[in-house]
Amino acid sequence: MSKDPELVNDEVHLTTQVVNHIRTLIENGSLRAGDKIPPEREFAKDLKISRASLRAGIGYLAAMGVLNVRHGVGTFVADGPPVVSKSSLSLMGVLHGFKPWQLFEARLILEGSLAALAAERGKEEHHSALAEEVAEMYATVSDPHEYLIHDVRFHRTIAEASGNPILASLMETITGTLYDERRKTVERSRDLKQSAEMHREIYRAIRAKKAVEARDAMERHLRMAETAQVNERAMMSSKRAQQKPRRSKMAEAAKA
Amino acid sequence: MSKDPELVNDEVHLTTQVVNHIRTLIENGSLRAGDKIPPEREFAKDLKISRASLRAGIGYLAAMGVLNVRHGVGTFVADGPPVVSKSSLSLMGVLHGFKPWQLFEARLILEGSLAALAAERGKEEHHSALAEEVAEMYATVSDPHEYLIHDVRFHRTIAEASGNPILASLMETITGTLYDERRKTVERSRDLKQSAEMHREIYRAIRAKKAVEARDAMERHLRMAETAQVNERAMMSSKRAQQKPRRSKMAEAAKA
DNA sequence: GTTGCTCAGTGGTCTGACCTCACACTTCAC
DNA sequence: GTGAAGTGTGAGGTCAGACCACTGAGCAAC
């Protein structure tokens, strides 16, 4: 009990101060989603700090997904669906040895609950949006790439309909990790017809406000999706040879 | 077809290169949890980039919670329980207007599932660890601060027993957001006896490998905890006057 | 043995220059 | 007129080197 310097975590780093400053600007409404923040040079001058320190703070917020930096254009407050740092999970994954099945299990639990909540709270607008996406899925069963887009939108709409943006954002984090890989293997997808069928079941359960059924349907769908993706991955890895060489400024970095 | 650089999202930013480089070092085992990375000056020289750029990459990874930077000491690969960027959620919160009840709902769903999984998969070691914490809780019902420590450890042990570190990390993210506030209001806690009682029920259900009961007990517990915390918060806000003045380098920043 | 100082190592900040990119505007050929 | 090529401007990205601030350990005085 001799030391307890954690209680008063005063803003020691300038980085932290920048973060909190911008956070405050967002809290009091000075900055809203989509807004552009001042140019770095100017902003740094206003804040009476160096551009380097400001950039550290911006970098932090960008890593968190709160800011969106576009080279040559400007830095913007993130809009769109809330995502808790997209690549965060994959980084954590390599560090703690996450297994793919754990990813799927997490998704199963989250989306299952999301579907149940959506069934309880979904409004008309959500129902029609879901119906729209289901229709699009049926219409694109022969175009895997296009299908995937509507697939993602369907799930995202359910997340929105759940009325809990926090859970939605967690789901976005999980699925985002799976998405990159999926985009590469989607070419080999089959049974999209069956997939569309299952989405329709989910939709019907949600529209009927039957939470339990919605959860069950979602879980059935995801279990099948898992199997499918594992198969796709297996097919992929059986023929991979060329690795496009990339000339990176630090290509020959030592192996420590 | 003059340009097609989109397919291979080459590492355009040096920051990204640094991140991927370190990521690779972790993947191939050159760096493990707890390890210290080379000093910035040296590392930057090895990578043939400026220290500023290296720092940008390190900053990103630190924001992600993958690296742990300690002024005057060094930069280390994070160990301890996996956490997806602690402050991320609170940042997202102010941006998208997260409500407290949504936080509790997310926690309810996550921890409920976690408890169910723990009941299915928990090993002897977890059972004994849980028993230990429950005993400590009973022993510290009159010391809120100490009690809170064991409370947190109890939930963390369940998360570990669930066998799914991804879900555990999501839970850690959620509870971490609630924790800061809790630490301030915990003084006013009461009914710790009852709380300990509920933890014991959860423990018994997990030990008996009864998933459904474990989930129910956990949900009951969290619902009560929510009510309690809301009350504590109400008592808190009724008397707050002094706001420790903080001399910040950018204290007088304009309100834009 | 304890206390206090110094010092080396390491991250934190600053400065100001230059590079690269995206976009809008201008110019010119057709 | 209209489209394409060139150019200017403003924004973020990188660099170099200096100096500041913190930590921990070793040394010295007590």
Side-chain angles (χ1 to χ4, degrees), chain A residues 98-99 101-103 105-106 109, chain B residues 82 109-127 129-130 153-172 206 209 211 214-215 218:
Chain A
F98 290 170
K99 305 286 188 303
W101 69 263
Q102 295 167 339
L103 219 41
E105 184 175 85
I109 288 171
Chain B
I109 287 170
L110 279 174
E111 294 222 45
S113 301
L114 244 14
L117 289 175
E120 292 173 1
R121 302 173 183 162
K123 305 273 185 260
E124 257 313 300
E125 50 187 296
H126 301 125
H127 295 162
L130 289 176
R153 280 223 281 258
F154 180 84
H155 289 272
R156 194 170 282 163
T157 302
I158 289 180
E160 194 187 329
S162 78
N164 191 324
I166 297 174
L167 286 170
S169 130
L170 294 183
M171 180 206 85
E172 205 69 47
I206 289 176
K209 296 192 175 301
R215 167 180 259 120
M218 177 63 86

Side-chain angles (χ1 to χ4, degrees), chain A residues 17 60 87 105 121 164 252, chain B residues 48 60 87 105 121 248:
Chain A
Q17 294 187 28
Y60 184 92
S87 61
E105 184 175 85
R121 303 174 183 162
N164 190 324
E252 70 287 1
Chain B
K48 311 232 179 93
Y60 184 92
S87 62
E105 183 176 84
R121 302 173 183 162
S248 156

Side-chain angles (χ1 to χ4, degrees), chain B:
Chain B
M1 59 180 62
S2 51
K3 73 191 189 87
D4 61 344
E6 290 104 35
L7 294 185
V8 285
N9 64 339
D10 258 345
E11 308 163 352
V12 277
H13 302 328
L14 278 188
T15 305
T16 313
Q17 294 187 30
V18 172
V19 170
N20 285 332
H21 180 67
I22 295 180
R23 178 205 178 95
T24 303
L25 290 183
I26 293 177
E27 274 175 341
N28 71 21
S30 301
L31 282 177
R32 265 176 286 191
D35 283 0
K36 179 175 176 301
I37 74 175
E40 295 182 349
R41 292 164 180 81
E42 185 183 325
F43 205 2
K45 204 168 154 190
D46 287 352
L47 268 44
K48 311 232 179 93
I49 60 176
S50 75
R51 198 180 150 212
S53 299
L54 173 63
R55 277 178 62 75
I58 289 177
Y60 184 92
L61 289 168
M64 299 280 90
V66 175
L67 292 182
N68 199 334
V69 183
R70 294 170 58 193
H71 189 177
V73 184
T75 301
F76 304 80
V77 179
D79 52 357
V83 179
V84 177
S85 42
K86 205 183 64 174
S87 62
S88 170
L89 252 197
S90 70
L91 262 324
M92 297 297 297
V94 309
L95 224 177
H96 294 90
F98 291 170
K99 304 286 189 302
W101 69 264
Q102 295 167 339
L103 217 43
F104 280 106
E105 183 176 84
R107 189 183 177 196
L108 192 78
I109 287 170
L110 279 174
E111 294 222 45
S113 301
L114 244 14
L117 289 175
E120 292 173 1
R121 302 173 183 162
K123 305 273 185 260
E124 257 313 300
E125 50 187 296
H126 301 125
H127 295 162
S128 54
L130 289 176
E132 170 80 14
E133 298 303 338
V134 170
E136 288 294 327
M137 278 190 259
Y138 274 109
T140 57
V141 286
S142 55
D143 181 349
H145 271 109
E146 194 65 22
Y147 183 92
L148 179 56
I149 293 174
H150 297 293
D151 189 342
V152 169
R153 280 223 281 258
F154 180 84
H155 289 272
R156 194 170 282 163
T157 302
I158 289 180
E160 194 187 329
S162 78
N164 191 324
I166 297 174
L167 286 170
S169 130
L170 294 183
M171 180 206 85
E172 205 69 47
T173 302
I174 302 275
T175 55
T177 304
L178 292 166
Y179 185 67
D180 291 334
E181 176 184 358
R182 178 128 177 68
R183 209 165 31 181
K184 297 170 196 157
T185 64
V186 70
E187 309 265 15
R188 288 165 177 67
S189 297
R190 46 214 59 197
D191 297 328
L192 288 185
K193 183 86 185 333
Q194 183 185 358
S195 173
E197 214 74 67
M198 300 187 89
H199 282 96
R200 184 164 151 275
E201 283 178 32
I202 297 171
Y203 159 67
R204 287 166 60 90
I206 289 176
R207 173 165 207 118
K209 296 192 175 301
K210 299 193 174 178
V212 176
E213 289 182 18
R215 167 180 259 120
D216 287 349
M218 177 63 86
E219 292 188 349
R220 272 200 308 278
H221 163 51
L222 292 179
R223 272 188 237 281
M224 201 203 75
E226 176 177 3
T227 307
Q229 189 156 346
V230 169
N231 287 343
E232 288 172 20
R233 179 161 33 201
M235 295 175 62
M236 263 315 253
S237 58
S238 61
K239 68 156 192 172
R240 81 166 59 174
Q242 75 272 43
Q243 190 84 322
K244 178 184 290 190
R246 45 182 70 185
R247 46 240 162 285
S248 156
K249 195 166 181 181
M250 26 181 287
E252 69 287 2
K255 308 303 182 296

Side-chain angles (χ1 to χ4, degrees), chain A residues 70-187:
Chain A
R70 294 171 57 193
H71 188 176
V73 183
T75 301
F76 304 80
V77 178
D79 52 356
V83 180
V84 178
S85 43
K86 205 183 65 176
S87 61
S88 169
L89 252 198
S90 70
L91 262 323
M92 298 296 297
V94 309
L95 224 178
H96 294 91
F98 290 170
K99 305 286 188 303
W101 69 263
Q102 295 167 339
L103 219 41
F104 280 105
E105 184 175 85
R107 190 184 176 195
L108 192 77
I109 288 171
L110 279 175
E111 295 222 44
S113 301
L114 245 14
L117 289 176
E120 292 173 1
R121 303 174 183 162
K123 305 271 186 265
E124 258 312 301
E125 50 188 296
H126 302 124
H127 295 162
S128 53
L130 289 175
E132 171 80 14
E133 298 303 338
V134 170
E136 288 294 328
M137 279 190 258
Y138 274 109
T140 56
V141 286
S142 56
D143 181 349
H145 271 109
E146 194 64 22
Y147 183 92
L148 180 56
I149 293 175
H150 297 293
D151 190 342
V152 170
R153 280 221 282 256
F154 180 85
H155 289 273
R156 195 169 282 162
T157 302
I158 289 180
E160 195 188 327
S162 78
N164 190 324
I166 298 174
L167 285 169
S169 130
L170 295 182
M171 181 206 85
E172 206 70 45
T173 302
I174 302 275
T175 56
T177 304
L178 292 165
Y179 185 67
D180 292 334
E181 176 183 358
R182 178 127 178 70
R183 209 167 26 183
K184 296 170 196 159
T185 65
V186 71
E187 309 267 14

